[in-house]
Amino acid sequence: MSDLEKFRREARAWLGQNCPPEMRKPMASDSDTFWGGRNATFSSEAQRVWFERMRDKGWTVPHWPTEYGGGGLDGEEAKIVRQEMAAIGARQPLTSFGISMLGPALLKYGTDEQKKEHLPKITAGLIRWCQGYSEPNAGSDLASLQTRAESDGDDYVINGQKIWTSYANHADWIFCLVRTDPAAKKHDGISFILFDMTSKGVSTKPILLISGYSPFCETFFDNVRVPKAHVVGQVNRGWDVAKYLLQHERAMISGMGERGVGRPLGQIAADSIGADEQGRLDDAPLRSQIASFEVDEAALAAAAERAVDLAKAGQSHPAFSSAMKYYGTELNKRRYEILMSAGGIDALEWESERSRGGARPRAWLRTKANSIEGGTSEVMLGIVAKRILDLPGA
Amino acid sequence: MALVLTEEQSMLRDSARGLISDKAPVSHLRSLRDSKDATGFSRELWRTFAEMGFSGLLVPEEFGGSGLGCVEAGIVMEEIGRTLMPSPFLATSVLAASALSRGGNEAQKAQYLPKVSDGSLLAALAIDEGAKHRPLQTKLQATRAGNGFKLNGDKAFVVDGHTADLLIVAARSAGAAGDKNGLTLFLVDPKSKGLAIERIAMVDSHNAARIVFDHVEVNADSVLGEVDEGYALLDGVLNIGRGAVASEMVGLSEEVFGRTVTYLKERKQFGKAIGEFQALQHRAAQLYIEIEITRAAVLKALQTLDADPGKAGTAVAVAKARAGNTATQAVQEGVQMHGGMGMTDQFDIGFFMKRARVCQELFGDSNFHADQLARAKGY
Ligand SMILES: Cc1cc2nc3c(=O)[nH]c(=O)nc-3n(C[C@H](O)[C@H](O)[C@H](O)COP(=O)(O)OP(=O)(O)OC[C@H]3O[C@@H](n4cnc5c(N)ncnc54)[C@H](O)[C@@H]3O)c2cc1C
Ligand SMILES: Cc1cc2nc3c(=O)[nH]c(=O)nc-3n(C[C@H](O)[C@H](O)[C@H](O)COP(=O)(O)OP(=O)(O)OC[C@H]3O[C@@H](n4cnc5c(N)ncnc54)[C@H](O)[C@@H]3O)c2cc1C
């Protein structure tokens, strides 16, 4: 038996023993996600147990170095853990922007001190992060951001406003893009900086989404003092860090959606619509829509697997995560259009008990943001045209 | 298994690409078409294929082949797709070689496989009967006669049927159209009495045949696999063919796309390269993404066919459905973005459009395979 084979057996056995049955069911709502942080609460005992066991094993982030609380696994082993978790439907024990966004950027650009300070608190779920990129006048054109950081001794003094900051009102720290050199060209005067959301002068104001939830905020900075040592990477080279982080964010968003787990979409549809004598969904056009959706979904799963393998083989294009982000998010929107159509009038209920407070229509509406957040679909296509296809003027 | 080519596989790709792009660029197909060549492919090139070990790629080593797998066959098919080289590779080296090595008894394997490997025997698989690929609907009748069978009925779309030295024929020996049980595969000599072959010139200048069986007699030794239980064998062989054609479509799509992107950078209108217009940039980017995703799905299917053929059905359906859709989109955008030039016969892009249409129909189009997936998932 090869080492990997052996590793797979051990991983399977360990997960089988340690993942509580409740944590193997598909998530029903946002509260099933554990985000960690200073004020974290567990929605169930099973959630707590699962998180703590995975944390102690180093598997909240299996591929990070052990010195930072990760599992120290190589790419092949981490893939096996993911596959074995997927095989039993195990939930992520911890979800956080620290894992999917900040961590990779710190590992690449952070100083030893910064890594030692922040990474262990991410793997242990102690600190919850938010992302301060977008501003009212800097969305797709992110590099035109105006939040200022002025030098004052060993500190920067930050003034300005961010918007669409997901979970800013629950976050402990923020990774933030600020302008440190207003005279430079727009990409050249930006720095990437970290600070505590309890700092004096930080305030947030939640914004209500069309789903009726309010996961994001306007975030205001009024003379916020931040030590200069909190800049990640070089001063005025924050755009490199920001872009690198975005690649990881896009890869993460492209993987959203409960791909391939739970019951096939066609059967969910048959539950409410019915099937003919041969077991075929009683809505032929919807059946074909679902079938071609599932063809594309399976193909995307293969592409996601291949993207990881290509990266490992050193053959991937750095902009490829934009391609995956585009396709994954458009596909997730298709999934929810199908689910709404499959549910028919039942999927229109917004507040009732039987609809679990309108879980499906709210999730449907939430997916519409997938092709906006982390860079819009149009921006992704522009990046592919320019950086991969090398088309002129893109 | 990693979803990337191994070093050996990359080397195989390079050598196939070297040979095919050198000896059979699209102009090769064009000249065969223009000269109304009776064979429709180059026998000389086929000999070279044999010398390089391609013709026996899927044949086990004990029968003179290389004993390689579907991933490798797909690699060669992809290169064929890039230049549209007409070649017996699909019919003989993929379909017949798989059917014989999986279904043949020792005598059959010893008789035919060495000749497949050395390129001296051409074969064809006869399945389709109606306008669409519906293998379960096979009606061509096999009735017992003496110690053998008599075959009656029609076959259509028999790839390379006009040059075949051996036909592998799906026939109904029991049950009714639509039944899985009651199908039998036969090895038939195309020169048999009562058998009439009509070569069909297809839209893509490749070759297929219509074949009429009128009381064609075959003996019991000509049964490939088990009487009445040929469906599993046939389905396995078809899945390999589907994976191979999907690979061809990946090569085809990528070639068309590459040519189109080059054109977007060269062609100027309104004082700039048309590739500067965002309306075209975004469509080009979308097509690139489709091709990349399809490439992954096809490789996944080929790897599954090699690792666990019994479980490859779903992955193959996904691959063939995707490849058909992607190729259709690639050739349509290819012609459209070339403007008036794309519509001319002098320009190669039309050849790709025609071939993509044929590849769609080969062994089930995208709708067929999406339907297969839906059935497999129980809706
Ligand atoms: C649910 C959600 C969560 C978010 N979370 C965060 C967060 O945590 N932190 C954060 O910093 N930001 C966050 N964002 C913000 C997100 O990154 C921006 O919304 C996004 O970058 C788009 O910016 P915008 O909204 O200003 O739209 P705009 O940039 O104004 O775009 C409007 C439309 O114009 C199109 N467009 C713009 N430029 C071009 C172009 N060059 N070519 C073609 N079309 C173009 C866009 O594609 C879009 O369709 C979040 C957004 C959402 C919806
Ligand atoms: C069958 C046929 C019959 C014809 N008959 C006649 C005839 O009788 N008389 C005659 O004078 N002409 C005729 N034409 C020519 C026809 O009008 C041109 O082919 C057409 O205007 C496109 O020009 P083009 O071929 O140079 O393509 P191009 O202009 O080079 O276009 C190439 C591609 O770039 C795209 N493109 C160009 N500019 C832009 C832009 N600004 N934004 C986005 N995309 C852009 C186009 O849509 C196209 O996809 C005929 C063409 C055909 C195919």
Side-chain angles (χ1 to χ4, degrees):
Chain A
M1 188 163 44
S2 77
D3 287 352
L4 284 178
E5 202 86 352
K6 190 156 160 270
F7 178 80
R8 183 183 294 280
R9 287 216 184 160
E10 287 165 6
R12 182 178 302 166
W14 190 89
L15 290 167
Q17 263 164 24
N18 288 284
C19 183
E22 299 95 309
M23 293 294 105
R24 304 180 188 197
K25 294 188 191 130
M27 306 221 196
S29 76
D30 207 36
S31 73
D32 290 337
T33 304
F34 180 65
W35 289 90
R38 287 173 188 145
N39 305 314
T41 51
F42 295 100
S43 63
S44 68
E45 181 58 13
Q47 193 184 53
R48 184 188 64 78
V49 166
W50 176 225
F51 164 72
E52 287 176 356
R53 286 178 182 165
M54 286 292 271
R55 177 197 61 197
D56 296 345
K57 179 91 177 158
W59 284 5
T60 52
V61 197
H63 60 285
W64 284 7
T66 45
E67 54 178 316
Y68 305 131
L73 304 187
D74 67 20
E76 205 63 55
E77 293 165 336
K79 182 169 164 182
I80 288 173
V81 172
R82 277 197 304 278
Q83 287 171 342
E84 293 301 322
M85 283 177 69
I88 59 169
R91 295 179 185 173
Q92 286 305 324
L94 172 67
T95 300
S96 95
F97 297 161
I99 297 175
S100 54
M101 300 192 216
L102 179 62
L106 273 184
L107 283 167
K108 181 166 167 89
Y109 291 97
T111 61
D112 267 351
E113 215 158 77
Q114 287 169 335
K115 286 190 254 190
K116 280 196 195 110
E117 169 64 22
H118 298 296
L119 295 175
K121 293 181 185 163
I122 292 174
T123 54
L126 294 173
I127 291 293
R128 182 168 180 179
W129 288 85
C130 67
Q131 176 188 36
Y133 276 30
S134 305
E135 298 179 5
N137 291 314
S140 297
D141 184 13
L142 179 61
S144 67
L145 59 96
Q146 294 301 328
T147 294
R148 294 183 320 281
E150 275 151 344
S151 171
D152 184 17
D154 289 340
D155 294 340
Y156 282 114
V157 177
I158 298 177
N159 278 288
Q161 187 199 335
K162 297 287 171 182
I163 194 167
W164 321 129
T165 327
S166 293
Y167 306 106
N169 50 342
H170 301 299
D172 307 311
W173 276 65
I174 186 167
F175 50 92
C176 197
L177 293 178
V178 294
R179 189 159 295 286
T180 35
D181 182 358
K185 279 197 298 188
K186 69 178 181 180
H187 293 92
D188 296 339
I190 295 171
S191 298
F192 186 104
I193 197 166
L194 314 174
F195 53 94
D196 194 317
M197 289 292 279
T198 58
S199 308
K200 193 163 164 288
V202 178
S203 60
T204 61
K205 199 169 130 199
I207 304 169
L208 201 62
L209 283 180
I210 51 178
S211 60
Y213 296 134
S214 171
F216 61 18
C217 298
E218 291 180 279
T219 307
F220 302 93
F221 309 126
D222 180 17
N223 289 315
V224 181
R225 271 196 175 270
V226 181
K228 284 184 176 164
H230 288 191
V231 170
V232 178
Q234 288 175 41
V235 172
N236 292 329
R237 302 293 310 164
W239 189 247
D240 298 340
V241 187
K243 269 199 313 194
Y244 182 76
L245 183 146
L246 278 172
Q247 281 171 27
H248 286 271
E249 177 178 5
R250 286 166 187 162
M252 178 269 295
I253 295 175
S254 77
M256 290 198 331
E258 53 275 48
R259 198 164 300 144
V261 301
R263 307 187 63 209
L265 218 42
Q267 289 182 21
I268 296 176
D271 289 346
S272 56
I273 298 175
D276 67 14
E277 327 73 62
Q278 291 189 51
R280 282 181 308 205
L281 182 64
D282 233 350
D283 181 334
L286 182 62
R287 179 176 181 271
S288 338
Q289 267 182 43
I290 296 175
S292 52
F293 168 84
E294 292 202 315
V295 164
D296 291 340
E297 184 187 49
L300 180 68
E305 192 183 332
R306 179 169 155 83
V308 174
D309 294 337
L310 280 172
K312 216 159 38 196
Q315 295 171 21
S316 70
H317 193 290
F320 195 68
S321 62
S322 296
M324 294 296 285
K325 201 258 173 194
Y326 168 78
Y327 202 84
T329 56
E330 295 297 335
L331 194 72
N332 206 32
K333 291 198 294 184
R334 262 168 78 194
R335 161 188 285 277
Y336 272 88
E337 286 300 326
I338 288 170
L339 278 169
M340 288 301 285
S341 175
I345 58 175
D346 291 339
L348 304 177
E349 292 192 21
W350 191 245
E351 285 175 339
S352 62
E353 186 86 14
R354 59 197 279 269
S355 70
R356 286 182 290 116
R360 193 180 289 185
R362 289 175 200 270
W364 162 67
L365 290 163
R366 177 62 183 83
T367 62
K368 301 305 176 194
N370 295 163
S371 52
I372 299 170
E373 59 201 326
T376 69
S377 281
E378 291 75 20
V379 168
M380 295 306 103
L381 293 175
I383 290 172
V384 170
K386 175 180 179 174
R387 297 195 40 212
I388 299 182
L389 305 182
D390 196 27
L391 286 171
Chain B
M1 198 183 318
L3 269 180
V4 288
L5 297 187
T6 63
E7 208 160 306
E8 294 80 39
Q9 289 166 345
S10 302
M11 278 162 60
L12 173 69
R13 182 195 56 200
D14 294 345
S15 74
R17 184 174 298 178
L19 173 71
I20 293 171
S21 62
D22 180 38
K23 295 281 197 293
V26 182
S27 56
H28 174 67
L29 170 65
R30 184 185 288 278
S31 71
L32 289 168
R33 179 197 69 171
D34 292 348
S35 64
K36 296 203 186 330
D37 187 275
T39 311
F41 63 87
S42 158
R43 288 194 188 264
E44 192 193 329
L45 207 50
W46 184 238
R47 274 191 294 277
T48 314
F49 248 58
E51 282 155 19
M52 294 190 61
F54 294 157
S55 50
L57 196 126
L58 286 175
V59 174
E61 278 166 308
E62 52 177 318
F63 299 108
S66 335
L68 293 171
C70 295
V71 173
E72 285 81 7
I75 287 170
V76 174
M77 286 300 291
E78 188 176 323
E79 296 309 317
I80 286 176
R82 286 177 190 277
T83 72
L84 309 177
M85 169 192 179
S87 160
F89 186 75
L90 175 64
T92 298
S93 306
V94 176
L95 298 168
S98 307
L100 288 164
S101 47
R102 296 163 147 245
N105 54 36
E106 287 311 308
Q108 290 166 334
K109 288 198 242 188
Q111 184 180 356
Y112 297 114
L113 286 174
K115 293 183 179 167
V116 168
S117 298
D118 70 18
S120 60
L121 177 105
L122 297 179
L125 185 64
I127 323 142
D128 292 339
E129 297 176 5
K132 300 296 279 189
H133 177 71
R134 298 286 182 267
L136 279 180
Q137 297 296 328
T138 297
K139 288 207 269 294
L140 186 133
Q141 201 63 43
T143 32
R144 285 191 187 266
N147 95 35
F149 292 84
K150 262 190 184 152
L151 305 180
N152 276 294
D154 302 332
K155 289 288 176 185
F157 206 23
V158 180
V159 175
D160 291 340
H162 69 303
T163 49
D165 306 309
L166 173 70
L167 296 172
I168 302 174
V169 181
R172 184 154 294 286
S173 43
D179 292 350
K180 265 189 193 163
N181 288 329
L183 289 179
T184 305
L185 296 182
F186 292 95
L187 301 174
V188 182
D189 181 348
K191 294 193 214 66
S192 305
K193 195 160 152 276
L195 195 153
I197 299 181
E198 179 195 358
R199 177 186 178 188
I200 302 292
M202 288 193 296
V203 62
D204 65 341
S205 310
H206 282 52
N207 302 289
R210 285 187 183 276
I211 306 182
V212 178
F213 295 77
D214 181 14
H215 292 86
V216 174
E217 290 180 22
V218 290
N219 61 31
D221 293 344
S222 63
V223 171
L224 185 67
E226 301 295 320
V227 173
D228 291 347
E229 283 166 23
Y231 182 73
L233 173 61
L234 177 63
D235 192 48
V237 171
L238 283 172
N239 277 340
I240 295 173
R242 287 159 181 154
V245 175
S247 300
E248 179 177 353
M249 287 195 278
V250 168
L252 177 159
S253 302
E254 217 166 68
E255 179 65 24
V256 170
F257 180 65
R259 289 175 183 228
T260 305
V261 169
T262 303
Y263 193 71
L264 293 180
K265 295 175 185 173
E266 285 168 6
R267 170 72 173 165
K268 290 204 164 58
Q269 286 289 278
F270 303 98
K272 46 182 156 180
I274 56 173
E276 287 191 50
F277 299 119
Q278 198 182 58
L280 300 188
Q281 287 178 347
H282 283 191
R283 276 158 49 199
Q286 281 166 327
L287 181 52
Y288 163 82
I289 295 166
E290 293 290 349
I291 293 172
E292 286 300 311
I293 289 172
T294 295
R295 170 178 286 292
V298 172
L299 186 53
K300 183 90 199 171
L302 296 170
Q303 286 187 353
T304 314
L305 278 166
D306 286 332
D308 194 355
K311 293 214 177 100
T314 305
V316 167
V318 167
K320 181 69 170 60
R322 280 284 314 182
N325 289 335
T326 301
T328 302
Q329 184 178 344
V331 296
Q332 298 203 79
E333 290 290 42
V335 169
Q336 177 66 19
M337 292 188 191
H338 279 85
M341 285 298 287
M343 287 299 298
T344 61
D345 183 68
Q346 173 216 334
F347 216 68
D348 286 344
I349 212 103
F351 280 95
F352 289 92
M353 177 170 266
K354 293 167 182 173
R355 181 64 188 159
R357 187 83 272 294
V358 172
C359 288
Q360 260 282 21
E361 295 301 328
L362 269 175
F363 317 133
D365 65 8
S366 296
N367 292 337
F368 174 88
H369 287 291
D371 181 72
Q372 294 292 106
L373 183 76
R375 286 168 192 262
K377 291 208 173 191
Y379 61 92

